[in-house]
Amino acid sequence: MAAGNDLVSLGFTKLQIGVLTANLPARGFYEAMGGHEIGQRTFDEEGYLLPETVYEWTDIAAMAATSVTRWRGRGPGSDAGARRDAGRG
């Protein structure tokens, strides 16, 4: 996965992604990529509080090596409003 490889090359070791809880295709994609649900939060979209589910990968290098071949052509769906937070180790 290109984004994961880029993060690893920049020295990041873990990744957290918040995705709209109602976005089931994206959530399925992140789970298939090895993300572990670590919590819930809300995202303020211009005054509207939207529920998010937060996924984490504690080893970006392992996530980057995960094959997404079965998802090709289907994609994770729209995750507009999702917030991504990457952390350095």
Side-chain angles (χ1 to χ4, degrees):
M1 176 177 225
N5 289 329
D6 289 345
L7 291 170
V8 169
S9 72
L10 292 170
F12 291 94
T13 58
K14 82 174 190 176
L15 173 69
Q16 291 184 352
I17 296 178
V19 62
L20 296 175
T21 299
N23 191 343
L24 298 179
R27 292 180 61 193
F29 175 77
Y30 295 138
E31 290 169 10
M33 291 295 296
H36 299 282
E37 184 177 331
I38 62 165
Q40 303 285 317
R41 65 184 180 200
T42 56
F43 176 71
D44 186 338
E45 179 66 30
E46 298 182 10
Y48 295 95
L49 296 178
L50 304 173
E52 284 189 326
T53 300
V54 181
Y55 290 92
E56 180 176 72
W57 290 262
T58 55
D59 183 357
I60 295 177
M63 183 263 308
T66 301
S67 172
V68 293
T69 304
R70 70 186 198 136
W71 285 92
R72 245 177 251 270
R74 291 181 8 184
S78 172
D79 62 350
R83 293 173 36 189
R84 292 171 177 82
D85 304 306
R88 291 185 189 267

